[in-house]
Coordinates of all heavy atoms in Angstrom, one line a residue:
N578 N -10.3 -17.1 -9.7 CA -10.6 -15.8 -9.0 C -9.5 -14.8 -9.3 O -8.8 -14.3 -8.3 CB -10.7 -16.1 -7.5 CG -12.0 -16.6 -7.0 OD1 -13.1 -16.4 -7.7 ND2 -12.0 -17.3 -6.0
S604 N -18.7 -19.7 -9.3 CA -18.8 -19.9 -7.9 C -19.7 -21.1 -7.7 O -20.5 -21.5 -8.4 CB -19.6 -18.7 -7.2 OG -19.8 -19.0 -5.8
G605 N -19.3 -21.8 -6.5 CA -20.2 -23.0 -6.1 C -19.2 -24.1 -5.6 O -19.8 -25.1 -5.2
G606 N -18.0 -23.9 -5.5 CA -17.1 -24.9 -5.0 C -17.0 -26.0 -5.9 O -17.5 -26.1 -7.1
K660 N -17.7 -11.4 -9.5 CA -17.3 -12.6 -8.6 C -16.7 -12.1 -7.4 O -16.9 -12.6 -6.3 CB -16.5 -13.6 -9.4 CG -15.9 -14.8 -8.5 CD -16.9 -15.7 -8.1 CE -16.8 -16.5 -6.8 NZ -15.5 -17.2 -6.7
H663 N -19.2 -10.8 -5.1 CA -19.9 -12.0 -4.5 C -19.1 -12.6 -3.3 O -19.7 -12.9 -2.2 CB -19.9 -13.1 -5.7 CG -20.2 -14.5 -5.1 ND1 -19.3 -15.4 -4.5 CD2 -21.4 -15.3 -5.0 CE1 -19.8 -16.5 -4.1 NE2 -21.1 -16.4 -4.4
N664 N -17.8 -12.6 -3.4 CA -16.9 -13.2 -2.4 C -16.9 -12.2 -1.2 O -16.9 -12.7 -0.1 CB -15.5 -13.4 -2.8 CG -15.4 -14.8 -3.5 OD1 -16.4 -15.2 -4.2 ND2 -14.3 -15.3 -3.6
E667 N -19.9 -13.0 0.6 CA -19.8 -14.2 1.2 C -19.1 -14.1 2.5 O -19.5 -14.7 3.5 CB -18.9 -15.1 0.2 CG -18.5 -16.4 0.7 CD -17.7 -17.3 -0.3 OE1 -18.0 -17.2 -1.5 OE2 -16.6 -17.7 0.2
Y668 N -18.0 -13.2 2.5 CA -17.3 -12.9 3.8 C -18.3 -12.3 4.8 O -18.2 -12.7 6.0 CB -16.2 -12.0 3.5 CG -14.9 -12.5 3.1 CD1 -14.7 -13.4 2.0 CD2 -13.7 -12.2 3.7 CE1 -13.5 -13.8 1.5 CE2 -12.5 -12.7 3.3 CZ -12.4 -13.4 2.2 OH -11.1 -13.9 1.8
Q737 N -7.9 -16.9 4.5 CA -8.6 -16.2 3.3 C -7.5 -16.1 2.2 O -6.4 -16.2 2.4 CB -8.8 -14.7 3.8 CG -7.6 -13.9 4.4 CD -8.0 -12.5 4.8 OE1 -8.7 -11.8 4.1 NE2 -7.7 -12.2 6.0
K738 N -8.1 -16.0 1.0 CA -7.3 -16.0 -0.2 C -7.1 -14.6 -0.8 O -6.5 -14.4 -1.8 CB -7.7 -16.9 -1.2 CG -7.6 -18.4 -0.6 CD -7.7 -19.4 -1.7 CE -8.0 -20.7 -1.1 NZ -9.4 -20.8 -0.6
G739 N -8.0 -13.6 -0.3 CA -7.8 -12.2 -0.8 C -8.9 -11.6 -1.5 O -8.9 -10.4 -1.7
R765 N -11.4 -11.6 10.1 CA -10.6 -12.6 9.8 C -9.1 -12.4 10.2 O -8.4 -13.2 10.7 CB -10.6 -13.1 8.3 CG -11.9 -13.6 7.9 CD -11.9 -14.5 6.6 NE -13.2 -14.8 6.2 CZ -13.4 -15.5 5.1 NH1 -12.4 -16.0 4.4 NH2 -14.7 -15.7 4.7
I843 N -22.0 -19.9 -3.6 CA -21.8 -20.0 -2.1 C -22.9 -19.2 -1.4 O -23.3 -19.5 -0.4 CB -20.5 -19.7 -1.7 CG1 -19.4 -20.6 -2.4 CG2 -20.2 -19.8 -0.2 CD1 -19.4 -22.0 -2.1
Ligands
6PG1476 C1 -17.0 -19.7 -4.5 C2 -15.9 -19.3 -3.3 C3 -14.6 -19.7 -3.8 C4 -13.7 -19.8 -2.6 C5 -13.4 -18.6 -1.9 C6 -12.9 -18.8 -0.5 O1 -17.6 -18.7 -4.8 O2 -17.0 -20.8 -4.9 O3 -16.0 -18.0 -3.0 O4 -14.2 -18.8 -4.8 O5 -14.2 -20.8 -1.8 O6 -12.6 -17.8 -2.7 O7 -12.3 -17.7 -0.2 P1 -11.4 -17.5 1.0 O8 -10.4 -18.6 1.0 O9 -10.8 -16.2 0.8 O10 -12.4 -17.7 2.2

Side-chain angles (χ1 to χ4, degrees):
N578 277 336
S604 176
K660 173 68 201 314
H663 164 283
N664 280 26
E667 175 184 311
Y668 274 53
Q737 57 181 310
K738 295 194 201 73
R765 289 200 194 184
I843 304 297

